[in-house]
Amino acid sequence: MVKFWIRIIAVLEIIGGVFGIGIVIWWLLTMPVNTLTIILSPVPIGIYLLSLLSGISLWRGRSFGRKASIIIQLIQLPKIISPALIFMFSFGFDFWIHYLLHGNFSTLGFEFRFLAFQQFFSGVEDAPLGFGLSIPAFIFLIILFNYKPGSVKDEFLPPPPEITEVTDNSEATPNKLIQPEHE
């Protein structure tokens, strides 16, 4: 069952990485030229590239995949909204609960995102003050912290063949070579 959830995390990270890189490149090609956007664009592209690589490596059961996936889920976990900084990343699928304080009122809500989503802004004057927490990232972090690559049997592969004991008796070995007799 653990292997099933590791595969789900890997697929979501791969989907998020591919679509995230595509979205950022699309925005760069369609938006008016802005020097600050061009300077900061390697940040989300790098994060989405890490998501793609961590998903592939996690699928293969590599130790790097586990470590990089933990980093990706830590990036996805907080949703920060303030006039100074807005920071939100989602990979594949995300659901988060948030609390927003705007002027004299506050709201408690939730949001869903599919494929890839990011908001990485600084200096947004009228932005509310708020904080959110990604529920899938929280659950996936628990799974990833308990997962040790190579320690879980792969449910999709047949078990390896059993090794038989070797004895001194040459007649008892099943793989005895038949040699022609010379007379």
Side-chain angles (χ1 to χ4, degrees):
M1 189 63 152
V2 170
K3 194 67 164 181
F4 171 78
W5 285 108
I6 293 298
R7 299 284 179 156
I8 294 293
I9 295 167
V11 166
L12 290 174
E13 289 177 353
I14 291 169
I15 290 170
V18 168
F19 280 92
I21 291 168
I23 288 170
V24 173
I25 290 172
W26 177 258
W27 284 345
L28 288 172
L29 294 175
T30 59
M31 299 290 254
V33 177
N34 180 343
T35 307
L36 186 59
T37 303
I38 292 171
I39 291 171
L40 291 179
S41 64
V43 173
I45 289 174
I47 290 172
Y48 284 124
L49 185 60
L50 178 62
S51 175
L52 176 62
L53 295 176
S54 67
I56 292 169
S57 185
L58 186 66
W59 181 274
R60 292 181 174 180
R62 305 269 164 75
S63 178
F64 168 78
R66 176 183 171 267
K67 293 171 189 170
S69 292
I70 288 172
I71 292 169
I72 288 299
Q73 297 306 319
L74 286 172
I75 290 171
Q76 181 172 290
L77 185 65
K79 310 298 181 191
I80 302 167
I81 306 158
S82 72
L85 177 69
I86 297 177
F87 182 86
M88 292 187 223
F89 277 87
S90 295
F91 307 96
F93 165 76
D94 201 5
F95 167 76
W96 68 89
I97 298 173
H98 60 78
Y99 176 77
L100 296 174
L101 179 62
H102 193 43
N104 293 332
F105 66 92
S106 62
T107 60
L108 182 64
F110 60 91
E111 290 190 42
F112 288 99
R113 295 287 186 222
F114 295 102
L115 302 179
F117 172 76
Q118 107 271 340
Q119 289 189 342
F120 181 57
F121 303 108
S122 64
V124 181
E125 291 181 24
D126 292 334
L129 187 61
F131 183 76
L133 198 65
S134 171
I135 303 303
F138 182 76
I139 293 168
F140 293 166
L141 278 169
I142 293 170
I143 292 168
L144 288 166
F145 279 124
N146 291 319
Y147 171 65
K148 305 293 183 233
S151 67
V152 178
K153 278 187 174 180
D154 195 335
E155 300 159 2
F156 305 107
L157 295 176
E162 292 184 21
I163 298 174
T164 58
E165 277 188 40
V166 178
T167 62
D168 290 338
N169 184 353
S170 64
E171 298 296 324
T173 59
N175 295 329
K176 180 181 173 188
L177 292 175
I178 300 174
Q179 298 178 358
E181 295 180 21
H182 296 322
E183 291 186 26

